[in-house]
Coordinates of all heavy atoms in Angstrom, one line a residue:
M3 N -3.7 -10.6 21.4 CA -3.5 -9.1 21.4 C -4.5 -8.5 20.4 O -4.6 -8.9 19.4 CB -2.0 -9.0 20.9 CG -1.7 -7.4 20.8 SD 0.1 -7.2 20.8 CE 0.4 -6.7 19.2
A4 N -5.1 -7.4 20.9 CA -6.2 -6.7 20.2 C -5.6 -6.0 19.1 O -4.4 -5.4 19.2 CB -7.1 -6.0 21.1
K5 N -6.3 -5.8 17.9 CA -5.8 -4.9 16.8 C -6.1 -3.5 17.3 O -7.1 -3.3 17.8 CB -6.5 -5.3 15.6 CG -6.1 -6.6 15.1 CD -6.9 -6.9 13.7 CE -6.6 -8.2 13.2 NZ -7.5 -8.5 12.0
K6 N -5.2 -2.7 16.8 CA -5.4 -1.2 17.0 C -6.5 -0.8 16.0 O -6.5 -1.2 14.9 CB -4.2 -0.4 16.9 CG -3.3 -0.5 17.9 CD -2.2 0.6 18.0 CE -0.9 0.1 17.5 NZ 0.1 1.2 17.3
K7 N -7.4 0.1 16.4 CA -8.4 0.7 15.5 C -7.9 2.1 15.0 O -7.6 2.8 15.9 CB -9.7 0.7 16.2 CG -10.8 0.9 15.1 CD -12.2 0.5 15.7 CE -13.0 0.0 14.5 NZ -13.6 -1.1 14.4
A8 N -7.9 2.3 13.7 CA -7.4 3.5 13.2 C -8.6 4.5 13.3 O -9.8 4.2 13.3 CB -7.1 3.3 11.8
T9 N -8.3 5.7 13.5 CA -9.3 6.8 13.5 C -10.0 6.6 12.2 O -9.4 6.6 11.1 CB -8.7 8.1 13.7 OG1 -7.8 8.1 14.8 CG2 -9.6 9.2 13.8
G10 N -11.3 6.7 12.0 CA -12.0 6.4 10.9 C -12.5 5.0 10.7 O -13.2 4.7 9.8
G11 N -12.2 4.2 11.7 CA -12.7 2.8 11.8 C -12.0 1.8 11.0 O -12.5 0.6 11.1
L12 N -11.0 2.0 10.3 CA -10.4 0.9 9.7 C -9.3 0.3 10.6 O -8.3 0.8 11.0 CB -9.5 1.5 8.4 CG -9.0 0.4 7.4 CD1 -10.1 -0.4 6.8 CD2 -8.1 1.2 6.4
D13 N -9.4 -1.0 10.7 CA -8.4 -1.9 11.6 C -7.2 -2.0 11.1 O -7.2 -2.3 9.8 CB -9.0 -3.1 11.9 CG -10.3 -3.1 13.0 OD1 -10.2 -2.3 13.8 OD2 -11.0 -4.0 12.9
E14 N -6.2 -2.1 11.7 CA -4.8 -2.5 11.3 C -5.1 -4.0 11.0 O -5.8 -4.6 11.7 CB -3.7 -2.2 12.2 CG -3.4 -0.8 12.4 CD -2.2 -0.6 13.3 OE1 -1.7 -1.5 13.9 OE2 -2.0 0.6 13.6
G15 N -4.6 -4.5 9.9 CA -4.8 -5.8 9.4 C -5.8 -6.0 8.5 O -6.1 -7.0 7.9
A16 N -6.6 -4.9 8.2 CA -7.7 -4.9 7.3 C -7.2 -5.2 5.8 O -6.1 -4.6 5.4 CB -8.5 -3.5 7.2
K17 N -7.8 -6.0 5.1 CA -7.3 -6.3 3.7 C -8.0 -5.2 2.9 O -9.2 -4.8 2.9 CB -8.0 -7.7 3.2 CG -7.9 -8.8 4.2 CD -6.3 -9.1 4.1 CE -6.0 -10.4 5.1 NZ -4.6 -10.6 5.4
I18 N -7.0 -4.8 1.9 CA -7.5 -3.7 1.0 C -7.2 -4.1 -0.5 O -6.3 -5.0 -0.8 CB -6.7 -2.4 1.3 CG1 -5.2 -2.4 1.1 CG2 -7.3 -1.9 2.7 CD1 -4.7 -1.9 -0.1
R19 N -7.8 -3.5 -1.4 CA -7.6 -3.6 -2.8 C -7.6 -2.1 -3.5 O -8.5 -1.3 -3.2 CB -8.7 -4.3 -3.5 CG -8.6 -4.4 -5.1 CD -9.6 -5.2 -5.7 NE -9.7 -6.5 -5.4 CZ -8.9 -7.6 -5.6 NH1 -8.0 -7.3 -6.6 NH2 -9.1 -8.7 -5.2
V20 N -6.5 -1.8 -4.1 CA -6.2 -0.5 -4.6 C -7.1 -0.2 -5.7 O -7.3 -1.1 -6.7 CB -4.7 -0.3 -5.0 CG1 -4.5 1.0 -5.7 CG2 -3.8 -0.6 -3.9
K21 N -7.7 1.0 -5.8 CA -8.6 1.4 -6.9 C -7.9 1.6 -8.2 O -6.8 1.9 -8.3 CB -9.3 2.7 -6.5 CG -10.1 2.7 -5.2 CD -10.8 4.0 -4.9 CE -11.7 3.9 -3.7 NZ -12.2 5.3 -3.4
D22 N -8.7 1.5 -9.3 CA -8.3 1.8 -10.7 C -7.8 3.3 -10.7 O -8.4 4.1 -10.0 CB -9.3 1.7 -11.7 CG -9.8 0.2 -11.9 OD1 -9.0 -0.7 -11.5 OD2 -10.7 0.0 -12.4
G23 N -6.7 3.5 -11.5 CA -6.1 4.8 -11.6 C -5.3 5.3 -10.6 O -4.6 6.4 -10.7
I24 N -4.9 4.4 -9.6 CA -3.9 4.8 -8.5 C -2.5 4.4 -8.9 O -2.3 3.2 -9.2 CB -4.3 4.2 -7.2 CG1 -5.7 4.7 -6.8 CG2 -3.3 4.5 -6.1 CD1 -5.9 6.2 -6.6
M25 N -1.7 5.2 -8.8 CA -0.2 5.1 -9.4 C 0.6 5.1 -8.1 O 0.3 5.6 -7.0 CB 0.2 6.1 -10.2 CG -0.6 6.3 -11.5 SD -1.0 4.8 -12.4 CE 0.3 4.8 -13.5
S26 N 1.8 4.4 -8.2 CA 2.8 4.5 -7.1 C 3.2 5.9 -6.7 O 3.5 6.7 -7.6 CB 4.0 3.7 -7.6 OG 5.1 4.0 -6.8
P27 N 3.2 6.1 -5.5 CA 3.6 7.5 -5.1 C 5.1 7.8 -5.3 O 5.6 9.0 -5.5 CB 3.4 7.6 -3.5 CG 3.1 6.2 -3.1 CD 2.8 5.3 -4.3
D28 N 6.0 6.7 -5.5 CA 7.3 6.9 -5.7 C 7.6 6.8 -7.2 O 8.7 7.4 -7.6 CB 8.1 5.8 -4.9 CG 7.8 6.0 -3.5 OD1 8.2 7.1 -2.9 OD2 7.4 4.9 -2.9
F29 N 6.9 6.1 -8.0 CA 7.1 5.9 -9.4 C 5.8 6.1 -10.1 O 5.1 5.1 -10.3 CB 7.7 4.5 -9.7 CG 8.9 4.3 -8.9 CD1 8.8 3.3 -7.8 CD2 10.1 4.7 -9.3 CE1 10.0 3.0 -7.1 CE2 11.2 4.6 -8.5 CZ 11.2 3.7 -7.4
P30 N 5.5 7.3 -10.5 CA 4.0 7.7 -11.1 C 3.9 6.9 -12.4 O 2.6 7.0 -12.9 CB 4.3 9.1 -11.3 CG 5.4 9.6 -10.7 CD 6.3 8.5 -10.5
D31 N 4.7 6.2 -13.0 CA 4.4 5.3 -14.3 C 4.0 3.9 -13.9 O 3.8 3.2 -14.7 CB 5.7 5.4 -15.2 CG 6.9 4.9 -14.4 OD1 7.1 5.1 -13.3 OD2 7.7 4.1 -15.2
V32 N 4.0 3.6 -12.6 CA 3.7 2.3 -12.1 C 2.3 2.2 -11.5 O 2.0 2.9 -10.5 CB 4.7 1.7 -11.1 CG1 4.1 0.4 -10.5 CG2 6.0 1.5 -11.7
S33 N 1.4 1.5 -12.2 CA 0.0 1.5 -11.6 C -0.2 0.5 -10.4 O 0.4 -0.7 -10.5 CB -1.1 1.0 -12.7 OG -2.2 0.7 -12.2
F34 N -0.8 0.9 -9.4 CA -1.1 0.0 -8.2 C -2.5 -0.5 -8.4 O -3.0 -1.4 -7.5 CB -0.9 0.8 -6.9 CG 0.4 0.9 -6.4 CD1 0.6 1.6 -5.3 CD2 1.6 0.4 -7.0 CE1 1.9 1.8 -4.7 CE2 2.8 0.5 -6.4 CZ 3.0 1.3 -5.3
A35 N -3.2 -0.2 -9.4 CA -4.7 -0.7 -9.5 C -4.7 -2.2 -9.4 O -4.0 -2.9 -10.0 CB -5.1 -0.3 -10.9
G36 N -5.5 -2.7 -8.5 CA -5.9 -4.0 -8.3 C -5.0 -4.7 -7.2 O -5.1 -5.8 -6.9
W37 N -3.9 -4.1 -6.9 CA -3.0 -4.7 -5.9 C -3.8 -4.8 -4.6 O -4.5 -4.0 -4.3 CB -1.8 -3.8 -5.8 CG -0.8 -3.8 -7.0 CD1 -1.1 -4.1 -8.2 CD2 0.6 -3.5 -7.0 NE1 -0.1 -3.9 -9.0 CE2 1.0 -3.6 -8.3 CE3 1.5 -3.1 -5.9 CZ2 2.4 -3.3 -8.7 CZ3 2.7 -2.8 -6.3 CH2 3.2 -2.9 -7.7
T38 N -3.4 -6.0 -3.9 CA -4.1 -6.2 -2.6 C -3.1 -6.5 -1.6 O -1.9 -6.7 -1.8 CB -5.0 -7.4 -2.7 OG1 -4.1 -8.6 -3.2 CG2 -6.1 -7.2 -3.7
G39 N -3.5 -6.2 -0.3 CA -2.5 -6.3 0.9 C -3.3 -6.0 2.1 O -4.6 -5.9 2.1
S40 N -2.6 -5.7 3.1 CA -3.1 -5.5 4.5 C -2.6 -4.3 5.0 O -1.4 -4.0 5.0 CB -2.8 -6.6 5.4 OG -3.3 -7.8 4.9
V41 N -3.4 -3.5 5.9 CA -3.0 -2.3 6.6 C -2.1 -2.8 7.8 O -2.6 -3.6 8.5 CB -4.2 -1.4 7.0 CG1 -3.7 -0.3 7.8 CG2 -4.9 -0.8 5.6
V42 N -1.0 -2.3 7.8 CA -0.1 -2.6 8.9 C 0.1 -1.5 9.9 O 0.6 -1.7 11.0 CB 1.4 -3.2 8.5 CG1 1.1 -4.5 7.7 CG2 2.0 -2.2 7.6
E43 N -0.1 -0.2 9.4 CA 0.0 0.9 10.3 C -0.8 2.1 9.8 O -0.9 2.1 8.5 CB 1.5 1.3 10.4 CG 1.8 2.5 11.3 CD 3.3 2.9 11.4 OE1 4.2 2.0 11.2 OE2 3.7 4.0 11.6
V44 N -1.4 2.9 10.6 CA -2.1 4.1 10.3 C -1.4 5.3 11.1 O -1.2 5.2 12.2 CB -3.6 4.0 10.6 CG1 -4.4 5.2 10.1 CG2 -4.1 2.7 10.0
S45 N -1.2 6.3 10.3 CA -0.6 7.6 10.8 C -1.5 8.8 10.4 O -2.1 8.8 9.4 CB 0.8 7.7 10.5 OG 1.0 8.0 9.2
G46 N -1.3 9.7 11.2 CA -2.1 11.0 11.0 C -3.6 11.1 11.4 O -4.1 10.0 11.9
K47 N -4.2 12.0 11.1 CA -5.6 12.3 11.4 C -6.5 12.6 10.1 O -5.8 13.2 9.1 CB -5.9 13.3 12.4 CG -5.2 13.1 13.7 CD -5.4 14.1 14.7 CE -4.8 13.7 16.0 NZ -5.0 14.3 17.2
P48 N -7.7 12.2 10.0 CA -8.5 12.4 8.9 C -8.5 13.9 8.6 O -8.6 14.7 9.7 CB -10.0 11.9 9.2 CG -9.7 10.9 10.3 CD -8.4 11.4 11.0
P49 N -8.6 14.5 7.5 CA -8.6 13.8 6.2 C -7.3 13.4 5.5 O -7.1 12.9 4.6 CB -9.2 14.7 5.3 CG -8.9 16.1 5.7 CD -8.7 16.0 7.2
A50 N -6.2 13.6 6.4 CA -4.8 13.5 5.9 C -4.1 12.1 6.4 O -2.9 12.1 6.4 CB -3.9 14.6 6.3
Q51 N -4.9 11.2 6.7 CA -4.4 9.9 7.2 C -3.6 9.2 6.1 O -3.9 9.3 4.9 CB -5.6 8.8 7.5 CG -6.0 9.2 9.1 CD -6.9 8.1 9.5 OE1 -7.8 7.9 8.9 NE2 -6.6 7.6 10.7
K52 N -2.6 8.6 6.6 CA -1.7 7.6 5.7 C -1.8 6.2 6.1 O -1.8 6.0 7.3 CB -0.2 8.1 5.5 CG -0.1 9.5 4.9 CD -0.6 9.5 3.5 CE -0.3 10.8 2.8 NZ -0.8 10.9 1.5
F53 N -1.9 5.4 5.2 CA -2.0 3.8 5.5 C -0.7 3.1 5.0 O -0.5 3.3 3.8 CB -3.3 3.3 5.0 CG -4.4 3.9 5.5 CD1 -5.0 5.3 5.1 CD2 -5.2 3.4 6.6 CE1 -6.1 5.8 5.6 CE2 -6.3 4.1 7.1 CZ -6.8 5.1 6.6
I54 N 0.1 2.5 5.9 CA 1.0 1.7 5.4 C 0.5 0.4 5.1 O 0.0 -0.3 6.0 CB 2.2 1.5 6.5 CG1 2.6 3.0 6.9 CG2 3.4 0.7 5.9 CD1 3.3 3.9 5.9
V55 N 0.7 -0.2 3.9 CA 0.1 -1.4 3.4 C 1.3 -2.3 3.1 O 2.3 -2.0 2.4 CB -0.8 -1.1 2.1 CG1 -1.2 -2.4 1.5 CG2 -1.9 -0.1 2.5
E56 N 1.1 -3.5 3.6 CA 2.0 -4.7 3.2 C 1.3 -5.5 2.2 O 0.2 -6.0 2.3 CB 2.4 -5.5 4.4 CG 3.4 -6.5 4.1 CD 3.8 -7.3 5.2 OE1 3.2 -7.1 6.4 OE2 4.9 -7.9 5.2
W57 N 1.9 -5.6 0.8 CA 1.3 -6.3 -0.2 C 1.3 -7.8 0.0 O 2.2 -8.4 0.7 CB 2.2 -6.1 -1.5 CG 2.2 -4.6 -1.8 CD1 3.4 -3.8 -2.1 CD2 1.1 -3.6 -2.2 NE1 3.1 -2.5 -2.5 CE2 1.7 -2.5 -2.5 CE3 -0.3 -3.8 -2.2 CZ2 0.9 -1.4 -2.8 CZ3 -1.1 -2.8 -2.4 CH2 -0.4 -1.5 -2.8
D58 N 0.2 -8.4 -0.4 CA 0.1 -9.9 -0.2 C 1.1 -10.7 -1.1 O 1.6 -10.0 -2.1 CB -1.2 -10.3 -0.2 CG -2.0 -10.0 -1.5 OD1 -1.4 -10.0 -2.5 OD2 -3.2 -10.1 -1.5
A59 N 1.2 -12.0 -0.9 CA 2.0 -12.8 -1.8 C 1.6 -12.9 -3.2 O 2.5 -12.8 -4.1 CB 2.0 -14.3 -1.2
G60 N 0.3 -12.8 -3.5 CA -0.1 -12.8 -4.9 C 0.3 -11.5 -5.6 O 0.7 -11.6 -6.8
T61 N 0.2 -10.3 -4.9 CA 0.6 -9.1 -5.5 C 2.1 -9.0 -5.8 O 2.5 -8.7 -6.7 CB 0.2 -7.9 -4.6 OG1 -1.3 -7.9 -4.6 CG2 0.6 -6.5 -5.2
I62 N 2.9 -9.5 -4.7 CA 4.4 -9.5 -4.9 C 4.8 -10.4 -6.1 O 5.6 -10.1 -6.9 CB 4.9 -10.0 -3.5 CG1 4.7 -8.8 -2.5 CG2 6.4 -10.2 -3.8 CD1 5.0 -9.2 -1.0
A63 N 4.1 -11.5 -6.2 CA 4.4 -12.4 -7.2 C 4.2 -11.8 -8.8 O 4.8 -12.1 -9.6 CB 3.7 -13.7 -7.2
K64 N 3.2 -10.9 -8.8 CA 2.9 -10.3 -10.1 C 3.5 -8.9 -10.3 O 3.2 -8.3 -11.3 CB 1.3 -10.1 -10.2 CG 0.6 -11.4 -10.2 CD -0.8 -11.4 -10.5 CE -1.6 -11.1 -9.2 NZ -2.9 -10.9 -9.3
M65 N 4.3 -8.4 -9.3 CA 4.9 -7.1 -9.5 C 5.9 -7.1 -10.7 O 6.6 -8.0 -10.9 CB 5.7 -6.7 -8.2 CG 5.0 -6.2 -7.1 SD 6.1 -5.8 -5.7 CE 4.8 -5.4 -4.6
P66 N 5.9 -6.0 -11.4 CA 6.8 -5.9 -12.5 C 8.3 -5.9 -11.9 O 8.6 -5.3 -10.9 CB 6.6 -4.5 -13.1 CG 5.2 -4.2 -12.7 CD 5.0 -4.9 -11.4
A67 N 9.1 -6.7 -12.5 CA 10.5 -6.8 -12.1 C 11.2 -5.5 -12.1 O 12.0 -5.2 -11.2 CB 11.4 -7.7 -13.0
D68 N 10.8 -4.6 -13.1 CA 11.4 -3.3 -13.1 C 11.0 -2.4 -11.9 O 11.8 -1.8 -11.3 CB 10.9 -2.5 -14.4 CG 11.5 -1.2 -14.5 OD1 12.7 -0.9 -14.6 OD2 10.7 -0.2 -14.4
Y69 N 9.8 -2.7 -11.4 CA 9.4 -1.9 -10.1 C 10.3 -2.3 -9.0 O 10.8 -1.6 -8.1 CB 7.9 -2.1 -9.9 CG 7.5 -1.6 -8.5 CD1 7.3 -0.2 -8.4 CD2 7.1 -2.5 -7.5 CE1 6.9 0.4 -7.3 CE2 6.8 -1.9 -6.2 CZ 6.6 -0.6 -6.2 OH 6.3 0.0 -4.9
V70 N 10.5 -3.7 -8.8 CA 11.2 -4.2 -7.6 C 12.7 -3.6 -7.8 O 13.2 -3.2 -6.8 CB 11.2 -5.7 -7.7 CG1 12.1 -6.3 -6.6 CG2 9.8 -6.2 -7.5
S71 N 13.3 -3.7 -9.1 CA 14.7 -3.2 -9.2 C 14.8 -1.7 -8.9 O 15.8 -1.4 -8.2 CB 15.1 -3.3 -10.7 OG 14.8 -4.5 -11.1
R72 N 13.8 -1.0 -9.3 CA 13.8 0.6 -9.0 C 13.7 0.8 -7.6 O 14.3 1.7 -7.0 CB 12.7 1.3 -9.9 CG 13.0 1.2 -11.3 CD 11.7 1.5 -12.1 NE 11.5 2.9 -12.0 CZ 10.2 3.4 -12.6 NH1 9.5 2.6 -13.3 NH2 10.0 4.6 -12.3
C73 N 12.7 0.0 -6.9 CA 12.6 0.3 -5.4 C 14.0 0.0 -4.7 O 14.5 0.6 -3.9 CB 11.6 -0.7 -4.8 SG 9.9 -0.2 -5.2
E74 N 14.7 -1.4 -5.1 CA 15.8 -1.7 -4.5 C 17.1 -0.7 -4.8 O 17.8 -0.2 -3.9 CB 16.3 -3.1 -5.1 CG 15.5 -4.1 -4.5 CD 15.7 -5.5 -5.1 OE1 16.5 -5.6 -6.1 OE2 15.2 -6.4 -4.7
A75 N 16.9 0.0 -6.0 CA 18.1 1.0 -6.4 C 17.8 2.2 -5.4 O 18.9 3.0 -5.2 CB 17.9 1.4 -7.8
Q76 N 16.7 2.5 -5.1 CA 16.3 3.8 -4.2 C 16.1 3.4 -2.8 O 15.8 4.3 -1.9 CB 15.1 4.5 -4.7 CG 15.4 5.1 -6.1 CD 14.4 6.1 -6.4 OE1 13.6 6.6 -5.6 NE2 14.3 6.4 -7.7
M77 N 16.6 2.1 -2.3 CA 16.6 1.7 -1.1 C 15.1 1.8 -0.5 O 14.9 2.1 0.8 CB 17.6 2.4 0.0 CG 18.9 2.2 -0.6 SD 20.3 2.9 0.4 CE 20.4 1.6 1.5
L78 N 14.1 1.4 -1.3 CA 12.7 1.4 -0.8 C 12.3 0.0 -0.7 O 12.8 -0.9 -1.5 CB 11.7 2.1 -1.8 CG 12.1 3.6 -2.2 CD1 11.3 4.0 -3.3 CD2 11.9 4.4 -0.8
F79 N 11.4 -0.4 0.1 CA 11.0 -1.8 0.4 C 9.8 -2.1 -0.6 O 8.7 -1.5 -0.3 CB 10.6 -2.0 1.8 CG 10.3 -3.5 2.2 CD1 11.2 -4.5 1.8 CD2 9.3 -3.7 3.1 CE1 10.9 -5.7 2.0 CE2 9.1 -5.1 3.4 CZ 9.8 -6.1 2.8
H80 N 10.0 -2.9 -1.6 CA 9.0 -3.0 -2.6 C 7.6 -3.7 -2.1 O 6.7 -3.6 -2.7 CB 9.4 -3.9 -3.8 CG 9.7 -5.3 -3.5 ND1 11.0 -5.7 -2.9 CD2 9.1 -6.4 -3.6 CE1 11.0 -6.9 -2.7 NE2 9.8 -7.4 -3.1
A81 N 7.8 -4.4 -0.9 CA 6.6 -5.2 -0.4 C 5.6 -4.3 0.5 O 4.7 -4.8 0.8 CB 7.2 -6.4 0.5
M82 N 6.0 -3.0 0.5 CA 5.1 -2.1 1.2 C 5.0 -0.7 0.6 O 5.8 -0.4 -0.3 CB 5.6 -1.8 2.6 CG 5.8 -3.1 3.5 SD 6.5 -2.8 5.2 CE 5.1 -2.7 6.1
A83 N 3.8 -0.1 0.9 CA 3.6 1.2 0.3 C 2.9 2.1 1.2 O 2.1 1.5 2.2 CB 2.9 1.1 -1.1
C84 N 2.9 3.3 1.1 CA 2.2 4.2 1.8 C 1.0 4.8 1.0 O 1.2 5.5 -0.1 CB 3.0 5.5 2.4 SG 2.2 6.6 3.3
L85 N -0.3 4.7 1.3 CA -1.4 5.1 0.6 C -2.3 6.2 1.4 O -2.3 6.0 2.7 CB -2.2 3.8 0.2 CG -1.5 2.9 -0.8 CD1 -2.4 1.7 -0.9 CD2 -1.0 3.5 -2.0
S86 N -3.2 6.8 0.6 CA -4.2 7.7 1.3 C -5.5 6.9 1.2 O -5.8 6.0 0.5 CB -4.2 8.8 0.5 OG -3.1 9.7 0.6
S87 N -6.4 7.3 2.2 CA -7.7 6.6 2.4 C -8.5 6.5 1.0 O -9.2 5.5 0.7 CB -8.6 7.1 3.4 OG -8.8 8.5 3.1
G88 N -8.4 7.4 0.2 CA -9.2 7.4 -1.1 C -8.5 6.5 -2.1 O -9.0 6.3 -3.2
D89 N -7.3 5.9 -1.8 CA -6.6 5.2 -2.9 C -7.0 3.7 -2.9 O -6.7 3.0 -3.9 CB -5.1 5.1 -2.5 CG -4.5 6.5 -2.7 OD1 -5.1 7.3 -3.4 OD2 -3.3 6.5 -2.2
F90 N -7.9 3.2 -2.0 CA -8.3 1.8 -1.8 C -9.6 1.7 -1.4 O -10.1 2.4 -0.7 CB -7.2 1.0 -1.0 CG -7.1 1.5 0.3 CD1 -7.9 1.1 1.3 CD2 -6.1 2.5 0.8 CE1 -7.9 1.6 2.6 CE2 -6.0 2.9 2.0 CZ -6.9 2.5 3.0
D91 N -10.1 0.5 -1.6 CA -11.5 0.0 -0.9 C -11.0 -1.2 0.0 O -10.1 -1.9 -0.2 CB -12.3 -0.6 -2.0 CG -12.9 0.5 -2.8 OD1 -13.2 1.5 -2.3 OD2 -12.8 0.2 -4.2
V92 N -11.8 -1.4 0.9 CA -11.6 -2.5 1.9 C -12.1 -3.9 1.1 O -13.1 -3.8 0.5 CB -12.4 -2.4 3.2 CG1 -12.4 -3.6 4.0 CG2 -12.0 -1.2 4.0
A93 N -11.3 -4.8 1.1 CA -11.6 -5.9 0.3 C -12.3 -7.0 1.1 O -12.3 -7.1 2.3 CB -10.2 -6.6 -0.1

């Protein structure tokens, strides 16, 4: 099965690394800097595209326990996040 290509050329499945200074959209006190994962879905059109990212096992293992607890308390899935194109680089 072929991967879908996002508008703007980023393939679903692309590996990404979050840029320095990027904070969680849900918890502004939690830094996502250096977190890595894969794009699983792209929505919207440039320049307002959103990228659903699934964090990789290494990132999940290093997540602060407080972040995981806060996600669970608000019924958010800690293993994924929604980011903008300027939030990350292709790894």
Side-chain angles (χ1 to χ4, degrees):
M3 181 160 109
K5 292 179 184 173
K6 287 197 254 178
K7 190 152 210 133
T9 310
L12 188 65
D13 284 328
E14 290 180 4
K17 305 290 184 203
I18 62 98
R19 177 178 302 278
V20 180
K21 294 178 180 178
D22 287 344
I24 302 301
M25 308 305 276
S26 163
D28 299 301
F29 306 106
D31 60 321
V32 176
S33 173
F34 278 177
W37 289 23
T38 54
S40 300
V41 174
V42 294
E43 186 178 326
V44 182
S45 64
K47 295 183 183 195
Q51 275 186 311
K52 294 294 181 183
F53 298 82
I54 307 300
V55 174
E56 183 172 14
W57 302 121
D58 60 27
T61 294
I62 291 170
K64 293 186 276 183
M65 280 180 182
D68 180 60
Y69 173 73
V70 175
S71 312
R72 290 163 70 188
C73 285
E74 289 172 352
Q76 292 196 18
M77 300 182 88
L78 300 171
F79 188 45
H80 69 275
M82 299 178 98
C84 181
L85 301 173
S86 299
S87 60
D89 293 346
F90 58 86
D91 293 314
V92 176

